[in-house]
Amino acid sequence: MPKNAPDKNASRPCFLHVCLPCCPLMAWLLTLILWALRCVPVAADEIAIAPLVASAKRAGLRVFAGTHLTLATDRAVREGDGIEHLPQLFDQAFTEWCAHFNLDPAKHAQWQAFGCLVVDRERFRTAGLLPAVVPDFANGFCDRNRFWMMDQSSPAYRRHLLLHEGVHAFTLTLRSLDTPPWYTEGIAEYLATHRIVAGRSDAAQSPSAANGAFESTPIPFVAADVEQLGRIETIRALHVANRAPALADIFNTPSADHHNLGAYAGSWAAVAMLARHPDYARAFAILERGPLDQTFTTRLTGSADWDAARAARDFAAFTAEIDYGYDFSRSAIDWSPGLPLAQQQAMAVAGNRGWQNSGWRAAEGARVSFLATGRYRIGSLPRDVLPAAVLESEAEGISLRWYRGRPLGKLLIAQWFQPTTGDTAHPGFRVVAEGASGSFIALADSTLYCKVNEPPGELADNAGGLRVELVPTPEP
């Protein structure tokens, strides 16, 4: 994936060094005005598009133009590949990017980028469209509002790479972006992730040959929407290998590391959590609308509301449970410490939420018995299997479908494991019991959590829940 070009802005003069009028009042007013102007971010110098288009046409390259993107390519004509629709896809994404950064698209109606979709680099060098100063990129590279991308075998990944580079062009020029690498690459991944939706009312502006329209999906719904992207699968694999990065590790990821999939996946996940988790989204949106400079991480972690330990725990919980369609609103966790479980207690477990705080804490080594009763909706069968068939479950789950090695809908009881210094294990929930009844030994002196076993992207159509009784039980 691409590495951003450095901001090539010339150093900005200090406007307060101009000669001020002799009148003290006028001097004071002008000072305030100039100081205000000085504080307004200045976009990176944009590259003129017209000469690049002329060079591309002289070289016999195929050129496709939209409102905000002109794309030149040496890719041979292939029926149905959708290349000619990519500028329209870019235009639709541009509107989403403006909304994310609270920019008025009408005020930037003349903004344009120039992209090169490359099969043979030498042909672009000969045409003067691939300068020697551009590094030997693997997939893509961006310099202000101009970018290059290698052609891809997957149409979905080709679109993603185009938009990833497009976000770089957008933020470099319209937001003067010069942030730490995790945000630079994370926001590009976040805003580039999308799907093509068939049958939408705006299908006349179809970005694909399949008569569909662009839809931003920062958390992809299904794997088929993001063919070859692999961000979720990468994070899962890192967890299995006990190498999943912590949030602090991602914040400190050097630029050079963004040549491997793990760094991109981690940066995307960090931006996704901060932008969508209900406890972080508002503050993060405000931060993003301020200066996008090298102080970005410091201002994030130095704010009065930032709790580093809690953010680290939220991120660890998110990446451990990550899946397509992950629903932050239903998966946000209450980390309040529970009261000691000294006598029988009961809690309600909603079927449409992730891990839920029981309100009670079991001491390490203590035995606890449990009994779960109730019935709840856990989804429905696909319409092509049995229309309108609602799936219901009790605490043992249903074997019709399994998720992460357990029957769908099965009750899970867990405690949060926080490794001590020197422990190589990663933090996360450790399941201590499952099913309708039984007993378990507490792994730590910590709060008990419950949920039903369900993909985090499929919680919204659940209904009902369980009553779970927790009883401290002496050893036999």
Side-chain angles (χ1 to χ4, degrees):
M1 287 294 288
K3 176 184 175 184
N4 259 355
D7 190 343
K8 293 182 172 60
N9 275 346
S11 58
R12 296 172 55 201
C14 176
F15 291 106
L16 297 182
H17 288 170
V18 298
C19 294
L20 297 177
C22 295
C23 172
L25 178 59
M26 289 297 295
W28 178 75
L29 289 173
L30 185 55
T31 298
L32 288 179
I33 293 170
L34 292 174
W35 180 261
L37 290 172
R38 182 177 184 267
C39 294
V40 175
V42 176
D45 295 333
E46 294 182 15
I47 298 168
I49 300 299
L52 302 176
V53 174
S55 295
K57 290 181 176 180
R58 282 195 302 269
L61 299 173
R62 300 166 69 200
V63 178
F64 305 103
T67 302
H68 297 291
L69 174 69
T70 299
L71 183 68
T73 184
D74 61 337
R75 178 183 167 89
V77 177
R78 299 177 190 175
E79 185 177 355
D81 65 5
I83 299 297
E84 67 275 18
H85 298 295
L86 290 177
Q88 286 69 46
L89 169 81
F90 193 98
D91 289 344
Q92 293 179 52
F94 177 86
T95 302
E96 294 286 341
W97 303 340
C98 286
H100 182 87
F101 289 107
N102 198 32
L103 300 179
D104 182 355
K107 292 183 179 179
H108 302 285
Q110 302 304 312
W111 183 86
Q112 288 187 318
F114 182 82
C116 294
L117 176 61
V118 181
V119 175
D120 180 2
R121 297 175 194 249
E122 194 55 40
R123 188 168 178 187
F124 284 83
R125 290 192 183 101
T126 301
L129 293 173
L130 184 55
V133 295
V134 174
D136 190 18
F137 56 90
N139 288 302
F141 184 82
C142 181
D143 173 15
R144 293 166 284 178
N145 58 321
R146 181 183 185 185
F147 63 84
W148 300 260
M149 53 178 283
M150 298 305 299
D151 191 27
Q152 305 294 318
S153 59
S154 162
Y157 191 65
R158 183 187 301 122
R159 295 194 310 266
H160 179 87
L161 185 57
L162 175 93
L163 297 180
H164 179 108
E165 297 302 332
V167 174
H168 282 322
F170 179 97
T171 53
L172 280 170
T173 53
L174 296 184
R175 292 303 324 278
S176 300
L177 180 140
D178 181 26
T179 52
W182 73 268
Y183 180 79
T184 300
E185 297 301 337
I187 193 61
E189 284 293 277
Y190 180 83
L191 292 178
T193 305
H194 71 286
R195 66 176 177 174
I196 299 300
V197 181
R200 280 254 299 268
S201 60
D202 49 353
Q205 301 180 31
S206 170
S208 75
N211 191 34
F214 167 88
E215 180 179 325
S216 177
T217 57
I219 307 290
F221 292 113
V222 295
D225 290 340
V226 286
E227 182 183 349
Q228 291 188 7
L229 189 60
R231 303 296 179 254
I232 290 174
E233 290 79 5
T234 297
I235 291 175
R236 285 177 179 168
L238 289 171
H239 264 280
V240 170
N242 203 35
R243 295 190 294 111
L247 187 60
D249 297 329
I250 291 170
F251 286 166
N252 293 312
T253 302
S255 181
D257 282 9
H258 280 92
H259 292 291
N260 68 74
L261 196 56
Y264 279 97
S267 295
W268 162 78
V271 170
M273 186 193 83
L274 294 168
R276 301 185 79 83
H277 192 293
D279 292 340
Y280 304 98
R282 183 174 180 276
F284 193 64
I286 293 171
L287 182 70
E288 286 186 294
R289 292 169 186 179
L292 298 182
D293 58 18
Q294 286 296 316
T295 69
F296 188 83
T297 308
T298 303
R299 286 185 286 116
L300 169 68
T301 59
S303 66
D305 295 332
W306 181 259
D307 183 334
R310 176 172 180 170
R313 199 181 310 137
D314 279 326
F315 186 72
F318 163 49
T319 54
E321 301 281 328
I322 196 168
D323 208 336
Y324 287 93
Y326 189 95
D327 188 339
F328 278 102
S329 65
R330 297 179 183 275
S331 300
I333 298 168
D334 173 8
W335 298 109
S336 303
L339 297 172
L341 182 64
Q343 59 186 16
Q344 179 174 332
Q345 302 291 347
M347 72 169 291
V349 179
N352 62 356
R353 292 194 60 82
W355 288 113
Q356 297 159 61
N357 190 321
S358 72
W360 304 101
R361 182 178 77 251
E364 181 178 358
R367 178 176 292 277
V368 178
S369 298
F370 69 97
L371 175 66
T373 56
R375 191 175 182 87
Y376 42 93
R377 171 177 171 159
I378 200 69
S380 58
L381 289 173
R383 291 183 178 275
D384 58 349
V385 176
L386 188 61
V390 173
L391 294 177
E392 292 188 342
S393 177
E394 295 180 348
E396 288 294 341
I398 54 175
S399 58
L400 181 66
R401 180 183 169 195
W402 289 56
Y403 180 67
R404 295 200 174 189
R406 294 182 173 95
L408 191 73
K410 193 169 192 176
L411 171 67
L412 305 179
I413 304 176
Q415 290 182 295
W416 182 261
F417 169 76
Q418 190 67 41
T420 57
T421 303
D423 193 336
T424 58
H426 275 68
F429 283 108
R430 302 290 192 267
V431 174
V432 294
E434 56 188 82
S437 64
S439 65
F440 60 89
I441 302 297
L443 296 178
D445 184 9
S446 64
T447 303
L448 297 170
Y449 287 82
C450 297
K451 73 168 184 174
V452 299
N453 187 40
E454 168 87 349
E458 300 178 18
L459 295 171
D461 63 349
N462 294 357
L466 292 169
R467 173 186 167 85
V468 179
E469 295 180 359
L470 301 167
V471 184
T473 307
E475 289 292 338

